[in-house]
């Protein structure tokens, strides 16, 4: 072969790398498309709580007069509330607005991201930050580790943004995006440790630590993945993750525990009592049936606070937690002392219910896990009638509320419908492709793919188990991670295309 002119290969490599980096930025922009089409980042009823929590913490450190006010309370401290910014009469108020309790589970660390974006001038900055995190991780996987170019990265970004929930969750001001990133970061560290540069390991670990701190369910998810990776290594089955990688994964889990402990201590000092954890498990068992049967048979002698509401059961878990109707609710109807008792008693209650009806509990939870695995419609882009007044008026700044009322989510665009259909079709096709064998052999796969597949697959299943057991099946819980399945299938498609054009690919150095 004739040698290329001096410097030509190096110049060609530089151009390829420059194009791949440009593709990273374009991919980040593609991930913002669903929110752009909506006309505003997607908000959720819990979003104001995350921002308010960070605002209160920062006000205690810097002083309320030195920070940009978000909530109606902080604006009222500086003067009368703007016209139209008060909570409408009869509107539902988040439980966190009851100053006698402070709920656990709403991460101040994720709230700091949202509040920082708002204080810097726009909530869009939070969406951009989330998009860059996803795009950078996709670049690391697709370009650096799988060895594809910028075109492949752009194709992946466009497909995942428009045919899976990834783009929607990138534009959602909630920590759900970081559940999928918890799984993917863990998989990259476990499967590609020896191929990662030191700064790449640090960067992925830092993103993983923030993802874990963003929500308690992510902490449980990361811990489950560490156990799976450790088990595979000990059994010498499939993936054999190096010891240093397992240590780093474990350190991130411990870091998440420490972050939770610091938050709980800070809240205890600030308000004189630890945060109250929502009794999701109690609500789930009551809805499922065994919890209701146990309470009817054992109250009031069982001594549980929830016995006061047994006449309302069975009821949907969401009504148990949040309904204000006297014939449906429990937690939201209770006073501060009763709320705290329900949160503290839920796991003892769960053990008693398990002893009372072990077959019913196990059968119900197993059924819910299976339901959760197949329940992943996208349900974040349509706010519903009167939702802005019910959940957001008085809890978000007036300019944010005004923008929300002009969005497609409020005006009635069917964003969720077509994206849900595309997601189910894409996931089904991806599962078929990943399971397909041709002439008795699997389809071509990128280097290190099998190890990543094991970890990511375990993470997707673990997410369904954690959410279905400790909460209840909900579309949003599984749709936040299901985009990982099409991502893996995309790796197979890209490898098949490369094998056809270049022949079998040797594993990169």
């Amino acid at each position: 072969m004739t040698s290329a002119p001096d410097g030509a290969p190096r110049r060609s490599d530089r151009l390829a790398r420059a194009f791949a980096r440009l593709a990273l930025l374009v991919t980040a922009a593609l991930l913002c498309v669903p929110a752009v089409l909506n006309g505003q980042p997607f908000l959720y009823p819990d979003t104001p709580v995350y921002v308010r929590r960070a605002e209160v913490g920062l006000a205690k450190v810097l002083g309320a007069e030195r920070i940009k006010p978000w909530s109606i309370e902080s604006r009222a401290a500086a003067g009368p509330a703007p016209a139209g910014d008060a909570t409408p009469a009869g509107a539902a108020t988040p439980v966190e607005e009851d100053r006698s309790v402070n709920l656990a589970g709403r991460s101040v660390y994720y709230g700091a991201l949202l509040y920082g974006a708002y204080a810097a001038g726009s909530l869009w900055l939070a969406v951009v930050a989330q998009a860059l995190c996803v795009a950078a991780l996709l670049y690391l996987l697709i370009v650096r580790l799988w060895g594809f170019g910028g075109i492949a990265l752009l194709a992946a970004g466009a497909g995942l943004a428009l045919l899976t929930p990834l783009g929607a969750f990138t534009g959602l001001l909630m920590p759900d995006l970081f559940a999928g990133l918890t799984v993917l970061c863990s998989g990259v560290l476990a499967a590609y440790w020896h191929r990662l540069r030191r700064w790449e390991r640090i960067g992925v670990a830092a993103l993983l630590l923030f993802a874990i701190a963003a929500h308690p369910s992510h902490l449980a998810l990361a811990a489950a993945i560490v156990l799976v990776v450790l088990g595979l290594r000990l059994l010498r089955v499939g993936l054999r993750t190096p010891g240093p990688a397992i240590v780093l994964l474990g350190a991130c889990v411990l870091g998440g525990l420490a972050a939770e402990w610091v938050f709980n201590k800070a809240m205890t000092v600030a308000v004189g009592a630890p945060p109250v954890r929502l009794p999701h498990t109690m609500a789930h068992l009551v809805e499922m049936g065994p919890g209701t049967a146990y309470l009817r048979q054992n109250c009031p002698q069982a001594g549980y606070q929830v016995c006061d509401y047994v006449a309302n059961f069975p009821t949907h878990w969401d009504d148990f937690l949040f309904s204000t109707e006297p014939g449906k609710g429990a937690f939201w109807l209770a006073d501060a002392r009763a709320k705290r008792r329900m949160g503290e008693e839920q796991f003892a209650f769960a053990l008693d219910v398990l002893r009372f009806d072990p077959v019913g509990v196990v059968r119900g939870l197993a059924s819910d896990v299976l339901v959760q695995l197949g329940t992943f419609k996208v349900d974040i882009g349509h706010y519903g009638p009167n939702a802005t007044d019910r959940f957001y008026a008085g809890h978000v700044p007036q300019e944010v509320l005004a923008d929300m009322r002009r969005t497609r989510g409020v005006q009635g665009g069917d964003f969720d419908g077509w994206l849900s259909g595309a997601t189910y079709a894409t996931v089904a096709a991806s599962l078929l492709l990943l399971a397909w064998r041709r002439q008795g052999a699997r389809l071509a796969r990128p280097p290190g793919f099998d190890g990543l597949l094991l970890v990511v697959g375990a993470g997707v299943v673990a997410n369904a188990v954690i959410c279905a057991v400790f909460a209840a099946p909900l579309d949003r819980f599984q749709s936040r991670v299901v985009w990982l399945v099409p991502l893996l299938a995309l790796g197979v498609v890209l490898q098949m295309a490369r094998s056809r054009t270049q022949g079998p690919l040797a594993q990169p150095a």
Side-chain angles (χ1 to χ4, degrees):
M1 179 183 295
T2 304
S3 61
D6 186 38
R10 185 173 301 173
R11 187 180 305 114
S12 174
D13 290 344
R14 284 200 302 266
L15 289 174
R17 285 195 296 269
F19 179 74
R21 289 165 184 161
L22 176 62
L24 186 158
L25 298 177
V26 176
T27 298
L30 289 170
L31 292 167
C32 298
V33 166
V36 172
L37 292 176
N38 182 54
Q40 185 191 46
F42 298 107
L43 274 70
Y44 201 76
D46 285 345
T47 300
V49 181
Y50 283 94
V51 186
R52 171 65 177 161
R53 181 156 289 179
E55 179 196 33
V56 170
L58 195 60
K60 289 184 178 295
V61 174
L62 300 179
E65 71 283 354
R66 300 182 62 182
I67 66 171
K68 184 177 180 179
W70 162 274
S71 68
I72 191 170
E73 289 185 4
S74 53
R75 291 194 298 279
D85 203 31
T87 303
T93 302
V95 177
E96 288 82 345
E97 294 302 317
D98 179 354
R99 293 298 170 234
S100 59
V101 297
N102 197 348
L103 290 186
R106 272 61 173 177
S107 168
V108 70
Y109 307 103
Y110 182 75
L113 170 66
L114 300 186
Y115 179 77
Y118 170 73
S122 175
L123 290 172
W124 281 105
L125 295 175
V127 175
V128 170
Q130 294 183 161
L132 288 172
C133 287
V134 178
L137 196 56
L138 292 178
Y139 173 91
L140 176 64
L141 180 64
I142 295 172
V143 177
R144 264 278 294 117
L145 299 174
W146 287 352
F148 301 107
I151 295 294
L153 179 60
L154 288 173
L160 292 172
L162 301 177
L163 298 176
T164 79
L166 178 57
F169 281 104
T170 299
L172 176 66
L173 301 183
M174 285 282 287
D176 297 289
L177 172 72
F178 291 93
L181 295 186
T182 296
V183 176
L184 189 55
C185 287
S186 300
V188 167
L189 289 173
Y192 293 101
W193 177 261
H194 287 308
R195 295 186 53 207
L196 292 171
R197 304 180 180 112
R198 178 178 298 178
W199 66 268
E200 291 171 337
R201 295 171 183 169
I202 294 172
V204 175
L207 179 56
L208 175 59
L209 179 58
F210 179 81
I212 291 172
H215 197 272
S217 66
H218 305 174
L219 175 61
L221 182 56
I225 292 174
V226 171
L227 292 177
V228 169
V229 170
L230 184 59
L232 291 173
R233 176 182 169 87
L234 293 177
L235 296 174
R236 298 185 178 183
V237 176
L239 178 66
R240 298 184 186 180
T241 302
I246 297 177
V247 169
L248 184 58
L249 289 170
C252 288
V253 172
L254 293 177
L257 284 171
E260 184 81 1
W261 181 85
V262 168
F263 167 73
N264 288 339
K265 280 294 183 182
M267 292 307 303
T268 302
V269 170
V271 303
V276 176
R277 193 165 297 279
L278 278 170
H280 279 288
T281 304
M282 180 181 286
H284 187 193
L285 290 170
V286 165
E287 179 194 21
M288 198 164 60
T292 297
Y294 170 82
L295 291 172
R296 287 178 174 173
Q297 184 169 323
N298 293 279
C299 285
Q301 61 269 23
Y304 287 115
Q305 182 67 51
V306 73
C307 285
D308 293 348
Y309 304 94
V310 68
N312 295 354
F313 306 149
T315 190
H316 190 271
W317 69 270
D318 198 46
D319 289 328
F320 180 104
L321 295 174
F322 303 118
S323 177
T324 57
E325 295 185 35
K328 285 186 176 181
F331 183 80
W332 206 336
L333 295 174
D335 60 22
R337 183 191 64 83
K339 285 185 175 78
R340 186 170 298 280
R341 278 194 60 189
M342 277 191 246
E344 293 171 349
E345 292 173 350
Q346 63 174 321
F347 295 113
F349 172 78
L351 290 175
D352 280 344
V353 174
L354 181 61
R355 285 191 287 264
F356 173 77
D357 185 6
V359 174
V361 171
V362 172
R363 183 172 55 211
L365 293 179
S367 174
D368 283 348
V369 169
L370 293 176
V371 169
Q372 183 65 88
L373 281 168
T375 303
F376 47 84
K377 290 189 300 183
V378 180
D379 60 355
I380 62 176
H382 181 63
Y383 298 123
N386 305 317
T388 53
D389 287 339
R390 183 182 180 193
F391 294 114
Y392 303 101
H395 303 298
V396 302
Q398 181 65 14
E399 64 274 15
V400 174
L401 186 64
D403 289 343
M404 176 180 284
R405 286 176 171 145
R406 293 190 290 267
T407 62
R408 291 178 182 269
V410 172
Q411 296 297 324
D414 190 21
F415 174 84
D416 287 346
W418 67 260
L419 186 53
S420 295
T423 298
Y424 272 96
T426 304
V427 170
S430 298
L431 290 172
L432 289 174
L433 182 65
L434 291 170
W436 188 23
R437 290 175 177 266
R438 185 171 55 190
Q439 297 177 349
R442 293 177 305 184
L443 299 176
R445 301 181 176 203
F449 182 89
D450 290 345
L452 182 66
L453 177 63
L454 281 174
V455 178
V456 170
V460 171
V461 173
N463 180 79
V465 172
I466 290 166
C467 294
V469 170
F470 293 103
L474 189 69
D475 284 290
R476 185 170 60 89
F477 293 158
Q478 197 66 7
S479 61
R480 65 184 187 168
V481 300
V482 78
W483 58 268
L484 293 165
V485 177
L487 172 62
L488 293 174
L490 182 64
V492 175
V493 171
L494 292 173
Q495 182 63 35
M496 290 170 60
R498 178 163 57 185
S499 297
R500 288 183 177 181
T501 57
Q502 299 180 5
L505 179 72
Q507 182 158 322

